[in-house]
Amino acid sequence: MATRELMYREALREAIDEEMAANPTVFIIGEGIAERGGSYKVTEGLLAKYGPKRVRDTPIAEAGMIGVGVGAAIAGARPIVEILYVDFAMLGMDMIVNQAAKFRLMTGGDGRVPFIMRTQGGTGGGVAAQHSQSLEALFYHIPGLRVVMPSTPSDAKGLLKYALRQEDPVMFLEHKHLYMTKGPVPDGEHVVPFGVGDIKREGSDVTVIAWSNMIPRTLEAAEALAAEGISVEVIDPRTLVPLDRDMIIKSVLKTRRCVIVQEANRRGGVASDIASIVQEECFYEMDAPVEIVAGMDIPVPFNLTLEKASVPQKEDVVAAVKRVLHVQSLAAAAE
């Protein structure tokens, strides 16, 4: 398939543009997303094309924006609500958790909430504890929500187009460090379904599972380890809910070792849940315990050096892979 090189933000814009052109019920609201084109320029040019009724700036009022989005979705529209930082989504958690996520059940399956919350999170740039969190675990825990975390421009476009065609609320979580990254995006219609992971790099010695901005760092670690003769398979779930359990289990059964990398702090994280799945399904075939590489259980520091130290880096992934291999080698030596 023919491809083009696009920035992550350009791929997102293309997805929104195509779906707005195809479906007049799609609209987008958020702070500075109209005339300014958004803080990360994802919505640049859409106001001129679709007008202020479908591309609308809002006050700094996250609870109001999310409430409008959920209500509009219940009424039959397909809103995209852009929240500047995932940290600020906390102001609208009642609408997300108690209304959007529950509506289908509470209407006996008749109700639909095709609501998309686009936001970004993660560390980088020293924007401190209230603008740097990775909060996917909060949404992961809520039945009724879909949780999407694309790591490449191709995945960002394909997953967003798929999200805009669903009938359930979707938490579409981007990363501030990925907007300017580039990658190939297929020409023509490109849709990536939920629940289908992607093998970003094939390998045979150890499976490393990561998502969002941890994928580039994990791939860098895999490249460094390859120079030492260690073959790493990198799995990107792409969507955390639904999760591609089959791909994860198949990979771990092949390599017999597993490392899981998340930027979020470790306590109560998605990595712990995935580790429990791996242990339940693969325990008797594994040569080493599951390793988790995660952020520290602290608020993200403002100082850039401390911020970097608080979340996983390439070197942390390399060290974890070597630990799971070392465990196996010690066991073999004991035999």
Side-chain angles (χ1 to χ4, degrees):
M1 184 179 293
T3 62
R4 297 151 297 136
E5 193 86 357
L6 293 181
M7 288 184 188
Y8 190 99
R9 69 184 187 187
E10 292 171 333
L12 290 167
R13 183 189 310 137
E14 202 169 81
I16 297 169
D17 188 7
E18 290 176 7
E19 293 304 301
M20 289 186 76
N23 188 340
T25 68
V26 177
F27 69 90
I28 183 166
I29 64 173
E31 299 165 16
I33 59 98
E35 291 185 12
R36 193 157 57 88
S39 294
Y40 297 97
K41 303 302 179 185
V42 172
T43 54
E44 193 171 44
L46 296 181
L47 173 64
K49 190 169 184 178
Y50 296 103
K53 288 187 177 181
R54 296 182 67 192
V55 183
R56 185 180 291 266
D57 280 330
T58 67
I60 302 174
E62 287 80 7
M65 293 152 56
I66 293 170
V68 165
V70 173
I74 290 171
R78 291 188 176 271
I80 306 168
V81 176
E82 180 176 310
I83 302 297
L84 187 53
Y85 291 89
V86 69
D87 317 66
F88 304 157
M90 301 305 97
L91 294 163
M93 285 298 273
D94 179 65
M95 277 75 74
I96 295 169
V97 174
N98 289 324
Q99 309 305 325
K102 308 293 191 293
F103 190 73
R104 184 187 281 250
L105 171 70
M106 295 175 70
T107 57
D110 294 331
R112 298 292 184 269
V113 192
F115 161 76
I116 312 293
M117 185 183 78
R118 275 191 51 249
T119 187
Q120 60 80 24
T123 58
V127 291
Q130 296 171 319
H131 301 74
S132 304
Q133 297 174 90
S134 299
L135 298 177
E136 63 267 21
L138 298 182
F139 304 114
Y140 180 85
H141 187 68
I142 305 301
L145 300 179
R146 305 291 180 259
V147 183
V148 182
M149 297 192 73
S151 66
T152 67
S154 178
D155 291 345
K157 179 180 179 180
L159 289 165
L160 185 53
K161 283 177 68 71
Y162 190 82
L164 282 163
R165 301 175 187 185
Q166 302 312 296
E167 302 297 337
D168 294 304
V170 178
M171 305 294 103
F172 202 93
L173 309 180
E174 300 151 17
H175 196 287
K176 59 175 63 69
H177 264 194
L178 293 176
Y179 287 116
M180 299 289 283
T181 59
K182 294 183 178 181
V185 177
D187 289 338
E189 181 71 354
H190 173 57
V191 178
V192 176
F194 291 173
V196 180
D198 189 35
I199 301 175
K200 299 300 188 191
R201 181 185 178 114
E202 293 191 356
S204 57
D205 292 329
V206 58
T207 297
V208 181
I209 303 162
W211 50 91
S212 191
N213 195 43
M214 292 296 100
I215 285 291
R217 293 185 192 176
T218 297
L219 289 171
E220 290 176 9
E223 191 67 27
L225 288 161
E228 300 181 36
I230 299 171
S231 177
V232 177
E233 181 145 293
V234 179
I235 298 290
D236 182 356
R238 301 197 287 198
T239 61
L240 298 179
V241 182
L243 182 69
D244 192 345
R245 293 168 58 111
D246 291 342
M247 174 175 283
I248 291 169
I249 292 166
K250 183 178 179 180
S251 177
V252 174
L253 289 175
K254 178 179 74 172
T255 66
R256 307 171 79 91
R257 305 167 191 88
C258 180
V259 174
I260 307 170
V261 186
Q262 68 175 30
E263 182 170 339
N265 60 297
R266 175 161 179 163
R267 186 173 58 234
V270 175
S272 297
D273 192 54
I274 295 176
S276 74
I277 293 169
V278 171
Q279 289 289 89
E280 289 167 3
E281 300 292 339
C282 308
F283 177 78
Y284 292 105
E285 304 299 325
M286 296 184 69
D287 290 331
V290 176
E291 278 266 354
I292 293 176
V293 183
M296 293 182 180
D297 288 317
I298 59 172
V300 177
F302 173 64
N303 177 277
L304 286 171
T305 302
L306 295 177
E307 178 189 55
K308 183 177 179 180
S310 73
V311 295
Q313 304 298 324
K314 178 188 78 173
E315 296 76 15
D316 301 311
V317 180
V318 169
V321 168
K322 289 183 176 181
R323 282 195 297 272
V324 298
L325 291 168
H326 183 57
V327 167
Q328 193 274 335
S329 63
L330 284 178
E335 292 176 0

